[in-house]
Amino acid sequence: MFGLLKYDENESPTSQPFAWIGYLLILLTFITGFYSSQVSLKEFLSESGLEGAKRIFKALFNPNWGIFEEGLFAAIETIYMAFIATAVAIPIAFLLGFFAARNLMNSNPVLFFCYNALRAFLNISRSIEPLVWAIIFSVWVGIGPFSGMLALCIHSIASLTKQYSEQIESIDDGPIEAITATGAHPIQIVWFGVVPQIVLPYLSYTIYRWDINVRMATVIGLVGGGGIGNLLMQYQGQARWNEVGMLVILIAAIVWTMDWASSKLREALK
């Protein structure tokens, strides 16, 4: 492109002739995006669509409080499902984090091969959304909170291991070099040179992950993962929008409470 068009290094790139090609590509990208997404204001503002939306929102804002107890127990099941998934994932991710850290695994070819293999496995596991894992485990162990917990646990292990390992890769090498110079064992080097530098970030990542799992637990219930999401799917399938409105209020309360609690805990750890 530079060879075909005259390029003046003293001028701004945005004022160059070839800049218009970039603007054209950006414009074509937006046009293609709107076309692929089938954006239609006519459908959005259609009379039948607005009537349907009005009917649903009217029911949502008039919740059926008669199912409050049932929804509350389902919400508690959702919270504990996310809690157990996070608790099981923490020790596994903690150990895998050291093996997934490049600065700890590049000392010899065997360790570096293990590092690359683990990284590839974690990338594949993390690329599969919890919804897909929930579908797999609902077939494997049956519909219920156990399948939802397993789905969240698998995804949490992959995500936490990535965050933990990246934190290990960014630590200060000074303490490690000093401990190594004393002739310490590799496990002692990791325990006394690495762990003290990563404790607080690990706690922050873990709290944030539990917050994410609580949110995701309400979603994976839609595909048989148990909890309040499963109940929501049942009432939605029966078009019982007043009951759906009650569950939406409970979900919003859970998410708001978890967001507030996690933010307070993260502030306390700073």
Side-chain angles (χ1 to χ4, degrees), residues 1-150:
M1 187 66 70
F2 292 158
L4 295 175
L5 299 173
K6 185 178 179 181
Y7 178 64
D8 189 353
E9 295 182 354
N10 296 321
E11 295 184 10
S12 172
T14 56
S15 63
Q16 300 294 331
F18 57 80
W20 292 103
I21 299 176
Y23 298 148
L24 178 62
L25 290 175
I26 293 173
L27 178 62
L28 290 175
T29 300
F30 275 95
I31 293 174
T32 305
F34 276 102
Y35 179 79
S36 301
S37 303
Q38 300 182 3
V39 177
S40 174
L41 289 176
K42 180 180 178 181
E43 294 293 333
F44 185 75
L45 299 175
S46 65
E47 184 176 352
S48 60
L50 290 174
E51 283 295 324
K54 180 181 177 181
R55 183 172 63 255
I56 292 175
F57 278 108
K58 184 178 179 180
L60 290 177
F61 286 105
N62 290 277
N64 180 9
W65 291 92
I67 66 162
F68 177 79
E69 184 177 352
E70 181 184 16
L72 182 61
F73 279 107
I76 294 172
E77 182 180 87
T78 299
I79 294 172
Y80 278 102
M81 181 170 64
F83 172 75
I84 295 299
T86 309
V88 173
I90 290 172
I92 300 174
F94 180 81
L95 293 175
L96 293 179
F98 296 104
F99 295 99
R102 187 185 185 93
N103 57 337
L104 299 181
M105 299 290 288
N106 60 359
S107 57
N108 63 68
V110 176
L111 290 177
F112 192 65
F113 173 78
C114 294
Y115 158 80
N116 284 304
L118 179 58
R119 277 283 187 171
F121 175 75
L122 293 173
N123 288 335
I124 295 172
S125 300
R126 195 173 64 255
S127 65
I128 301 175
E129 287 297 314
L131 276 173
V132 179
W133 283 118
I135 294 173
I136 294 173
F137 284 116
S138 64
V139 175
W140 188 343
V141 300
I143 294 175
F146 184 41
S147 61
M149 187 277 289
L150 290 173

Side-chain angles (χ1 to χ4, degrees), residues 160-179:
L160 284 176
T161 301
K162 179 179 183 295
Q163 292 176 315
Y164 290 172
S165 63
E166 289 179 350
Q167 184 61 40
I168 294 173
E169 291 175 348
S170 63
I171 62 175
D172 183 10
D173 293 332
I176 297 177
E177 294 174 357
I179 296 173

